[in-house]
């Protein structure tokens, strides 16, 4: 490959490396267990998102005010 191809490969390698790091940190964070007022046990952020979608859906269907999630530690 020529010089331009080498540069493109380096840029792609840096991009993919950064993407892997970001996704690793994102997965670590979204798997973190925290308290949520709708459940007794600690749940992951992934589950918090599901619970909030359920709250939002209930608010839309039943016409009740939506309560957003505020993390309190």
């Amino acid at each position: 490959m020529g010089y331009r191809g080498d540069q493109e490969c380096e840029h792609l390698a840096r991009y993919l490396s950064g993407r892997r790091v970001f996704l690793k940190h994102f997965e670590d964070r979204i798997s973190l267990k925290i308290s949520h007022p709708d459940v007794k046990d600690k749940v992951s952020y992934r589950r918090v998102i599901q619970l909030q979608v359920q709250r939002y859906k209930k608010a839309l269907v039943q016409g009740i005010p939506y309560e957003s999630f505020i993390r309190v530690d």
Side-chain angles (χ1 to χ4, degrees):
M1 274 190 180
Y3 177 70
R4 183 167 172 81
D6 291 342
Q7 275 187 326
E8 289 174 3
C9 284
E10 285 180 35
H11 289 299
L12 180 61
R14 272 189 251 134
Y15 167 77
L16 292 175
S17 175
R19 184 175 160 181
R20 275 191 290 273
V21 169
F22 172 81
L23 290 174
K24 166 86 171 81
H25 286 286
F26 178 78
E27 187 59 39
D28 290 347
R29 178 67 176 214
I30 204 159
S31 298
L32 185 68
K33 301 259 181 167
I34 58 172
S35 297
H36 189 279
D38 291 352
V39 292
K40 295 180 192 244
D41 295 329
K42 289 190 172 197
V43 294
S44 69
Y45 270 109
R46 184 174 278 114
R47 180 70 178 130
V48 168
I49 293 169
Q50 293 171 337
L51 292 168
Q52 288 307 116
V53 168
Q54 290 172 359
R55 273 188 179 190
Y56 189 66
K57 181 180 172 183
K58 187 176 181 181
L60 290 174
V61 171
Q62 296 179 3
I64 59 175
Y66 170 72
E67 293 181 42
S68 62
F69 174 73
I70 299 173
R71 182 179 172 186
V72 179
D73 282 331

